């Protein structure tokens, strides 16, 4: 192999670090790509190969340092990357800098491990053995961080509870990346002085372990937070259903008592009519009607949803709020009933809290739920509200960037579990939430 070909190979192997970096970039966002995943993979392979071959050619021909070309490539790639997925830019920046951070660690560790070898040609690219070792470290990181990159980051991105935090969280991997770049040795001879190399390698290894632990703990905290909030929501729904069940029991007991006493009432009414004591009869009937409890109100066939509707209907009456119900739901829902109840209850509770700001004549809420065709169930809750802007929704329209009402975060999480979509409108003094769930 000629000297020119060997130099080109060494540059190509050094630029090949783009390959594991690209894999680490795309794993967390693969579920939110704006284009077909298979076509995206083919296009990505083409871009990466072009960058590796072109960068190696330019560096071998003109002596352009690898780090300078890679920095330029990342600057050009970042805007394109932020447009590839339907996620807020802060989440994309977090995924991007996580990948760059991992590749930076592998490069830094290789510099320290092969310092004595690279010291022979400090201005040249990595030796072939060093490049293969660096690629091996990067592959090892992908294996270690596989579940984090592919699944756990995706879960964190789907969680609606971190909407505001992502604006700052991406700074953590970005600062770690800058730290690794700053720690790259300018003079490899300094690495070989005393115990600098073994202590540094121990430090970098421990730091990689801390990074792994941070991502794991962060994921566990968010998952537990979602689980606790979900349990709280489920308990709230169950308490409402229990309250409704007790009301039914009381109504049934009262009905049995009324049937038992009905014969006595008929006898007394007959005696009052025969005696033409109509004033006493009128008073007696009036007292009897008042003693009869209200019959349970049925809004729909599904017992759980009906219990929630009855609960919030009585709450609305106490607050002088008018709710127009139009619920056409089956006895059994073809998806998670508890998740739908969380969505249903939180949206109505959100609307009740919103309309309290208005006078009694404007306290109106409209709730519509039912089948849309044969393959979808829809839910909409509309109420008057002050016109506001600033909703930042992600790809599935499930993530409100600012606090837009009580319960919307829980709604977004439950809609996500149901595999549905949620859209929010706040225009012309009307706030509306639309939920669509595929069957």
């Amino acid at each position: 192999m000629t000297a020119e070909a060997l130099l080109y190979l060494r540059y190509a192997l050094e630029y090949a670090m783009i390959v594991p970096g690209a894999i680490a970039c795309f794993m967390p966002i693969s579920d939110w790509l704006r284009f077909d995943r298979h076509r995206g993979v083919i296009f990505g392979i083409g871009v990466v190969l072009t960058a590796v071959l072109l960068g190696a050619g330019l560096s071998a021909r003109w002596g352009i340092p690898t780090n300078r070309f890679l920095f330029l490539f990342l600057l050009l790639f970042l805007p394109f990357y932020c447009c590839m997925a339907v996620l807020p830019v802060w989440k994309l920046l977090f995924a991007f800098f996580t990948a760059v951070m991992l590749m930076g660690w592998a490069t830094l560790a290789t510099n320290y491990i092969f310092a004595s070898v690279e010291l022979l040609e400090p201005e040249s690219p990595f030796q072939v053995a060093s490049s293969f070792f660096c690629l091996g470290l990067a592959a090892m990181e992908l294996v270690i961080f596989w579940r984090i990159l592919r699944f756990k980051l995706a879960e964190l991105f789907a969680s609606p509870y971190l909407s505001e935090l992502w604006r700052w969280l991406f700074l953590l991997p970005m600062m770690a990346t800058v730290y690794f770049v700053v720690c790259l040795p300018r003079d490899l001879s300094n690495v070989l002085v005393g115990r600098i190399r073994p202590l540094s390698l121990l430090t970098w290894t421990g730091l990689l372990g801390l990074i792994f632990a941070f991502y794991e703990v962060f994921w566990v905290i968010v998952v537990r937070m979602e689980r606790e909030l979900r349990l709280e929501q489920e308990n709230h729904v169950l308490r409402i259903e229990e309250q409704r069940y007790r009301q039914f029991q009381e109504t049934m007991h009262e009905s049995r008592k009324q049937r038992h006493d009905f014969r006595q009432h008929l006898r007394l009414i007959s005696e009052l009519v025969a005696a033409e004591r109509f004033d006493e009869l009128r008073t007696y009937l009036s007292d009897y009607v008042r003693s009869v409890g209200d019959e349970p109100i049925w809004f729909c066939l599904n017992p759980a949803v009906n219990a929630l509707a009855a609960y919030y209907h009585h709450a609305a009456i106490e607050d002088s709020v008018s709710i127009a119900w139009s619920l056409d739901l089956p006895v059994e829902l073809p998806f998670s009933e508890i998740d739908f109840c969380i969505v249903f209850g939180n949206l109505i509770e959100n609307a009740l809290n919103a309309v309290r700001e208005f006078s009694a004549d404007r306290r109106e809420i409209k709730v519509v739920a039912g089948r849309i065709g044969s393959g979808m169930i829809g839910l909409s809750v509309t109420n008057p509200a002050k016109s506001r802007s600033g909703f930042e929704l992600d790809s599935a329209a499930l993530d409100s960037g600012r606090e837009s009402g009580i319960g919307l975060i829980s709604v977004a999480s439950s809609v996500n579990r149901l595999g549905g979509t949620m859209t929010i409108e706040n225009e012309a003094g009307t706030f509306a939430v639309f939920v669509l769930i595929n069957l």
Side-chain angles (χ1 to χ4, degrees):
M1 182 180 294
T2 62
E4 291 79 6
L6 180 59
L7 182 63
Y8 181 85
L9 175 62
R10 290 168 61 184
Y11 272 116
L13 288 174
E14 194 163 293
Y15 281 114
M17 284 294 291
I18 296 176
V19 176
I23 295 173
C25 274
F26 284 101
M27 279 197 291
I29 66 170
S30 59
D31 294 332
W32 290 279
L33 294 176
R34 296 182 184 272
F35 42 78
D36 180 72
R37 187 181 301 179
H38 299 291
R39 294 181 180 179
V41 169
I42 295 174
F43 178 75
I45 291 174
V47 171
V48 168
L49 288 178
T50 301
V52 171
L53 298 177
L54 180 62
L58 292 175
S59 294
R61 179 69 178 85
W62 303 105
I64 301 175
T66 308
N67 291 338
R68 185 176 303 175
F69 182 85
L70 286 175
F71 182 73
L72 179 62
F73 173 77
L74 291 177
L75 285 181
L76 295 175
F77 175 71
L78 182 57
F80 175 71
Y81 178 76
C82 290
C83 297
M84 294 181 65
V86 280
L87 282 172
V89 64
W90 314 113
K91 297 179 181 180
L92 291 167
L93 288 175
F94 187 89
F96 176 81
F97 282 114
T98 295
V100 177
M101 173 189 66
L102 294 176
M103 297 307 105
W105 182 90
T107 303
L108 177 63
T110 302
N111 272 277
Y112 275 77
I113 293 173
F114 285 85
S116 56
V117 177
E118 298 299 328
L119 188 59
L120 301 175
E121 296 181 78
E123 301 300 327
S124 299
F126 275 161
Q127 299 290 335
V128 174
S130 302
S131 295
F132 275 116
F133 184 83
C134 190
L135 289 172
L137 280 182
M140 179 196 71
E141 287 181 300
L142 290 181
V143 172
I144 294 174
F145 283 81
W146 173 264
R147 290 189 60 83
I148 291 175
L149 292 172
R150 179 61 188 94
F151 302 108
K152 296 184 178 181
L153 276 186
E155 288 185 40
L156 292 175
F157 290 162
S159 173
Y161 300 97
L162 305 173
S163 302
E164 292 295 327
L165 283 179
W166 290 115
R167 298 174 181 269
W168 310 104
L169 282 174
F170 82 94
L171 294 174
L172 297 177
M174 186 183 74
M175 289 188 295
T177 301
V178 173
Y179 175 73
F180 289 147
V181 171
V182 171
C183 289
L184 287 171
R186 294 187 178 183
D187 188 351
L188 291 173
S189 60
N190 294 332
V191 176
L192 303 175
V193 175
R195 298 182 179 179
I196 291 180
R197 182 162 64 170
L199 290 177
S200 297
L201 289 173
L202 183 62
T203 301
W204 309 145
T205 305
L207 188 56
L208 183 66
L210 289 176
I211 292 172
F212 180 84
F214 166 77
Y215 281 88
E216 286 286 345
V217 171
F218 184 43
W219 174 78
V220 169
I221 290 174
V222 174
V223 169
R224 287 185 177 178
M225 182 175 64
E226 287 187 335
R227 187 179 303 161
E228 290 176 1
L229 185 56
R230 176 175 168 79
L231 288 174
E232 181 182 344
Q233 295 289 341
E234 290 178 357
N235 289 334
H236 178 63
V237 172
L238 291 175
R239 283 194 297 269
I240 293 176
E241 292 186 5
E242 182 184 8
Q243 178 181 349
R244 189 64 174 170
Y245 176 72
R246 290 178 177 175
Q247 290 177 351
F248 278 126
Q249 283 187 318
E250 293 175 359
T251 302
M252 292 175 62
H253 177 73
E254 187 66 26
S255 298
R256 286 194 295 268
K257 181 181 177 182
Q258 289 173 5
R259 285 196 300 269
H260 180 269
D261 296 339
F262 191 62
R263 184 178 300 175
Q264 305 301 326
H265 291 304
L266 288 178
R267 183 178 291 112
L268 181 57
I269 290 172
S270 299
E271 292 178 359
L272 292 175
V273 170
E276 297 184 353
R277 295 158 60 183
F278 297 113
D279 290 338
E280 295 182 29
L281 175 61
R282 189 179 299 109
T283 302
Y284 176 78
L285 289 176
S286 178
D287 293 339
Y288 176 73
V289 170
R290 281 196 298 268
S291 68
V292 177
D294 296 333
E295 289 294 323
I297 304 175
W298 284 94
F299 298 95
C300 70
L301 297 177
N302 183 270
V305 177
N306 182 75
L308 281 174
Y311 173 83
Y312 286 110
H313 182 76
H314 291 295
I317 292 175
E318 293 178 359
D319 290 336
S320 301
V321 178
S322 173
I323 301 183
W325 301 95
S326 178
L327 307 180
D328 184 17
L329 296 172
V331 177
E332 295 184 3
L333 298 177
F335 40 72
S336 172
E337 191 173 87
I338 192 68
D339 281 322
F340 185 81
C341 287
I342 290 174
V343 172
F344 184 82
N346 278 334
L347 287 181
I348 298 175
E349 186 171 345
N350 181 64
L352 286 172
N353 280 278
V355 298
R356 290 193 183 102
E357 301 177 0
F358 298 91
S359 57
D361 59 330
R362 292 195 60 193
R363 295 182 179 181
E364 298 179 351
I365 299 173
K366 184 177 181 181
V367 182
V368 179
R371 286 184 175 270
I372 301 176
S374 59
M376 189 176 294
I377 282 183
L379 169 65
S380 69
V381 178
T382 308
N383 58 272
K386 297 178 181 178
S387 297
R388 291 184 301 172
S389 59
F391 293 107
E392 296 182 8
L393 305 178
D394 65 11
S395 59
L398 299 179
D399 186 5
S400 64
R402 298 178 182 176
E403 186 177 357
S404 52
I406 298 174
L408 284 185
I409 290 179
S410 299
V411 169
S413 181
S414 297
V415 170
N416 191 27
R417 284 192 294 270
L418 290 169
T421 59
M422 183 177 80
T423 55
I424 299 174
E425 294 181 1
N426 190 10
E427 299 176 354
T430 300
F431 185 89
V433 180
F434 303 94
V435 176
L436 296 176
I437 303 171
N438 293 317
L439 302 180

